[in-house]
Amino acid sequence: MTKPIIEVKNLAKNFDKNVVLKDITEQVDPGQVVVVIGPSGSGKSTFLRCLNLLETPTSGQVSFDGQDLTTLDTKRVNALREEMGMVFQSFNLFPNMSVLENIKLAPMKVKGMGNDEATKLAHQLLQQVNLDDHADAFPTSLSGGQAQRVAIARALAMNPKVMLFDEPTSALDPEMVGEVLNVMQDLAAQGMTMVVVTHEMGFAKSVADRVWFMDDGYIQENSTPADFFAHPKTDRAKDFLSKIL
Ligand code: ADP
Ligand code: MG
């Protein structure tokens, strides 16, 4: 039995009286790709942010690599958080830095990597996302698809054990969605553990190991994509799929 890399036990989260996550117990094994889907407002982003403690759970446990993050002090949470790359819908690149500098920043500042090594790493990662010819460009000159690929390269620069994606293609023009999904698919094929919130059902079908359907504060279904799309078990999932497919 492999040990899970992420383990969530009885996770609950409210914002005041708004109970967003009610009781979630799930795990992610190393190398797995989990796609989280569900209606808007069902708590997908909140759930993802609880995984790296960007949101503090109201109750329950979130373990990463065998350590319960909810019991650790800020310093140790920060250290573990470095091992979880996160990519958001909005790319959040530093506008005043070149693409190369954006990628070099965290390894140099946080890990104390030297300039030469960081430069080499950044070029390698830019090749991986097919953007090495844009190393000296500034974020404002990039298309959305290019910016998102830089954001992925930047997250990878910290050599994370897990990548969390929150609707990484939702802000993109349709013609740019594919180039970002391709990079994510490559990453999955290389064995990266990934938790991906997305509405891209094609990606879920072809890349996910598991689909988690979230609604009403629970993971209502945890299935293989083949099972989920062919035989959704709950009325909620059937209703959701009828609206999006
Ligand atoms: P999803 O990503 O599935 O669309 P979210 O996790 O963004 O859902 O939001 C779930 C619910 O939590 C919504 O009702 C939203 O208003 C609420 N919420 C999310 N973040 C916050 C916050 N920082 N403060 C208060 N309420 C929040
Ligand atoms: Mg969201």
Side-chain angles (χ1 to χ4, degrees):
M1 278 290 285
T2 47
K3 270 197 314 185
I5 180 105
I6 295 172
E7 238 181 325
V8 176
K9 280 191 194 148
N10 304 117
L11 171 64
K13 174 70 181 175
N14 353 313
F15 295 103
D16 297 320
K17 287 194 178 132
N18 184 6
V19 183
V20 178
L21 306 178
K22 292 179 180 167
D23 185 1
I24 295 181
T25 298
E26 298 290 351
Q27 60 183 52
V28 182
D29 292 331
Q32 254 188 348
V33 177
V34 173
V35 164
V36 180
I37 64 177
S40 179
S42 60
K44 304 180 297 297
S45 295
T46 302
F47 173 70
L48 213 58
R49 292 164 61 81
C50 281
L51 295 185
N52 60 8
L53 250 57
L54 284 179
E55 293 291 355
T56 307
T58 304
S59 61
Q61 287 119 46
V62 177
S63 300
F64 176 70
D65 218 2
Q67 288 182 280
D68 181 358
L69 297 176
T70 59
T71 65
L72 302 179
D73 59 32
T74 313
K75 209 174 149 190
R76 291 182 65 203
V77 169
N78 283 339
L80 285 172
R81 200 181 271 148
E82 287 162 22
E83 300 183 28
M84 287 183 262
M86 187 150 187
V87 173
F88 303 89
Q89 184 173 332
S90 54
F91 329 115
N92 303 334
L93 298 176
F94 306 113
N96 56 332
M97 292 180 195
S98 72
V99 162
L100 200 74
E101 289 165 338
N102 262 278
I103 298 171
K104 286 166 63 178
L105 185 71
M108 289 181 70
K109 280 234 161 173
V110 181
K111 284 193 166 171
M113 191 182 278
N115 184 56
D116 290 353
E117 197 186 344
T119 304
K120 197 174 149 205
L121 172 67
H123 281 298
Q124 272 169 8
L125 291 168
L126 282 172
Q127 276 164 21
Q128 190 176 335
V129 301
N130 300 316
L131 279 174
D132 205 25
D133 50 341
H134 286 70
D136 297 322
F138 277 74
T140 46
S141 73
L142 302 177
S143 71
Q146 290 171 333
Q148 193 59 300
R149 286 184 284 145
V150 173
I152 292 171
R154 185 178 59 172
L156 292 173
M158 289 298 282
N159 195 23
K161 290 195 176 126
V162 165
M163 286 284 283
L164 309 175
F165 293 88
D166 193 357
E167 300 202 27
T169 60
S170 293
L172 301 179
D173 291 334
E175 73 271 23
M176 291 170 189
V177 169
E179 66 197 51
V180 172
L181 294 180
N182 283 342
V183 164
M184 292 168 62
Q185 182 159 11
D186 287 347
L187 206 53
Q190 289 161 23
M192 178 62 79
T193 307
M194 302 178 15
V195 182
V196 184
V197 175
T198 185
H199 298 294
E200 293 293 332
M201 296 302 133
F203 180 85
K205 280 180 190 164
S206 59
V207 182
D209 297 299
R210 308 295 301 181
V211 172
W212 294 358
F213 173 69
M214 180 178 286
D215 195 18
D216 191 33
Y218 299 98
I219 303 288
Q220 305 270 355
E221 303 198 24
N222 171 345
S223 309
T224 63
D227 243 15
F228 179 74
F229 290 107
H231 312 288
K233 291 188 272 292
T234 58
D235 287 340
R236 288 171 187 278
K238 284 175 198 164
D239 182 55
F240 176 76
L241 287 171
S242 74
K243 284 175 185 148
I244 59 157
L245 291 181

